[in-house]
Amino acid sequence: MITRRTGLAATAAALLGGAVMTTEARASESRARRSDPAGSALQKNVEAVRDAGVSGVIAEVQSAHGSTRARAGVADLASREPVPQDAYYRIGSDTKTFTATVALQLVGEGRLKLTDTVERWLPGAIRGHGNDGRRITVANLLRQTSGLNDYFAVGADPGEFTPDAYRRNRFRAQRPEEQLAAAVGAPPQWLPDADDPAGERRWGYSNTNYVAAGLVIEAVTGHSWAQEVHERIIEPLGLRHTFTPGTSPYLPMPTATAYTYFPKETRPTDTTVAQGGGADGCVISTTHDHALFLRALFDGRLLRPAQLAAMRRTVPAPDWIAAPGVRYGLGIAWRPVAGIGEGIWFHGGTSLGCVSECGVTGDGARAVTSAAFTVRLGGPESDEQAARTLRMVEAALR
């Protein structure tokens, strides 16, 4: 996910704050995963991302016929060991697609409606300063049309985005109720149309929407958001290398050092140890597992036809500046791509020291996932890294 707010939001996130495998999953695991040979298109594109100033980058292209992987760069700038192809990483806002999927499963079961208001499930949680949970529906949360402020941005001081501030706060976790309260501590960007709030088309990216969605899931089910994600997605698909870390700031091995260039800093800071949020951005995975999830979602294994169709109903997302023509659905985005008539579906996520970028075809037949272990908070180098990563994703799906 690359919007105008991504860099500051990712930094503020850190400053503030044995699955049973299905038969199909076992079969997928058993298919040979091969690395692309030197000189292949995927390998060249991965190297182009590295050459934009990334310490290490990994990518995987997956279809029903198997997986192809490529990597470039190092796991650590000191040791110079190769970046592990099967590295764990924080997928950041790609988590939102998992959260939306759980919510839509509940809709398909008749336990939740997209037209339900937040007030119904979280009474009094969104009130004050002009905020009104009676005017915000589940659809508004998932489609980012609620007008809620991003809790990252309320009261944030960019001058505090420094290596020292990161180190002071990297073990600090916030409860979702605290995040929601912070967001409603200022007037909303707008209130959805009173006559048809679920049909609101004004769009503004806000992590708060998915914090609230996670709380709604918990209110509906009586279980934690993490339990629902595990039992509805991770376990059925046999995603053995995907999990929700709770309040732990650590990544399992193998992984790569996650480097962040803070504003005005010429040297990167090791930001591998960091908090990753909750229903808005905490999932840890691998390129292989993430691709399995995306393919299962779009080939209809996770959602009923009506709910998958609802997920794919989009509104224009004008703040998504890394690529033109982006439209946002329920926890997933779409953009046109030359050479792919139907365009591609994607989300993406940025956390401290890692950029997750992905794409999947509309039928789930082919998916590409990637992780780049360097983040620059703004500037031309950041823009170039983003552009090269998007080109890699698009080329892999043509």
Side-chain angles (χ1 to χ4, degrees):
M1 176 274 301
I2 302 173
T3 72
R4 291 191 177 102
R5 299 182 185 176
T6 298
L8 296 183
T11 307
L15 299 181
L16 296 174
V20 177
M21 296 188 71
T22 63
T23 301
E24 182 169 355
R26 289 193 186 96
S28 179
E29 282 281 312
S30 66
R31 295 187 186 102
R33 281 184 247 165
R34 63 183 179 83
S35 295
D36 248 20
S40 70
L42 181 61
Q43 185 62 42
K44 286 181 178 179
N45 283 321
V46 165
E47 291 171 359
V49 176
R50 176 205 58 196
D51 293 344
V54 174
S55 55
V57 57
I58 54 177
E60 178 163 338
V61 180
Q62 189 180 115
S63 71
H65 305 294
S67 303
T68 301
R69 310 188 301 179
R71 63 178 178 174
V74 298
D76 186 88
L77 293 174
S79 71
R80 311 301 296 181
E81 292 290 330
V83 60
Q85 183 66 68
D86 55 351
Y88 287 93
Y89 60 96
R90 296 181 180 91
I91 69 172
S93 284
D94 275 317
T95 298
K96 292 178 173 64
T97 312
F98 285 74
T99 300
T101 299
V102 171
L104 285 166
Q105 287 180 347
L106 293 171
V107 172
E109 294 164 11
R111 302 170 67 183
L112 180 68
K113 294 181 180 178
L114 290 173
T115 54
D116 283 350
T117 66
V118 177
E119 180 71 15
R120 174 179 178 180
W121 294 105
L122 307 176
I126 299 180
R127 292 286 183 89
H129 301 280
N131 295 279
D132 189 348
R134 297 169 298 183
R135 291 269 295 274
I136 297 172
T137 67
V138 173
N140 296 131
L141 297 178
L142 300 181
R143 196 173 278 121
Q144 306 272 17
T145 57
S146 71
L148 285 171
N149 289 298
D150 197 322
Y151 71 89
F152 286 143
V154 176
D157 179 4
E160 285 295 305
F161 296 166
T162 65
D164 286 343
Y166 152 73
R167 294 187 185 98
R168 287 196 305 270
N169 293 286
R170 56 186 168 170
F171 289 92
R172 179 185 175 190
Q174 279 188 317
R175 294 184 299 108
E177 293 83 0
E178 293 179 276
Q179 295 166 332
L180 190 55
V184 301
Q189 301 171 66
W190 66 81
L191 283 174
D193 189 315
D195 295 328
D196 181 22
E200 177 63 59
R201 296 179 63 82
R202 284 172 290 182
W203 187 88
Y205 195 91
S206 173
N207 290 283
T208 307
N209 287 317
Y210 277 77
V211 172
L215 290 171
V216 168
I217 288 169
E218 294 182 359
V220 173
T221 64
H223 301 143
S224 71
W225 165 84
Q227 179 177 339
E228 292 297 319
V229 168
H230 183 89
E231 294 182 349
R232 291 171 174 274
I233 299 175
I234 294 174
E235 189 169 359
L237 293 181
L239 305 183
R240 297 185 299 169
H241 307 290
T242 300
F243 63 96
T244 56
T247 59
S248 173
Y250 297 108
L251 283 164
M253 297 298 287
T255 190
T257 301
Y259 292 105
T260 299
Y261 285 84
F262 286 92
K264 300 180 181 179
E265 295 288 328
T266 58
R267 300 183 63 178
T269 298
D270 179 348
T271 54
T272 310
V273 175
Q275 293 290 332
D280 58 324
C282 80
V283 167
I284 291 170
S285 191
T286 62
T287 54
H288 189 71
D289 271 16
H290 190 194
L292 283 174
F293 164 67
L294 290 173
R295 290 183 53 237
L297 176 60
F298 276 83
D299 70 16
R301 278 178 279 165
L302 290 174
L303 293 176
R304 299 175 183 181
Q307 280 68 59
L308 184 56
M311 175 177 266
R312 295 164 64 128
R313 283 197 285 271
T314 61
V315 296
D319 282 348
W320 212 295
I321 62 174
V326 172
R327 300 179 63 88
Y328 200 90
L330 302 180
I332 198 77
W334 175 91
R335 70 175 183 267
V337 174
I340 304 179
E342 63 177 6
I344 67 171
W345 294 91
F346 71 104
H347 200 285
T350 302
S351 55
L352 280 174
C354 186
V355 178
S356 169
E357 200 62 70
C358 64
V360 61
T361 57
D363 59 0
R366 191 172 176 87
V368 57
T369 49
S370 69
F373 292 93
T374 301
V375 168
R376 286 177 168 81
L377 300 179
E381 297 91 348
S382 175
D383 294 341
E384 184 61 25
Q385 177 181 332
R388 295 187 185 193
T389 305
L390 294 184
R391 284 199 293 270
M392 175 187 69
V393 167
E394 293 169 1
L397 293 179
R398 285 194 178 96

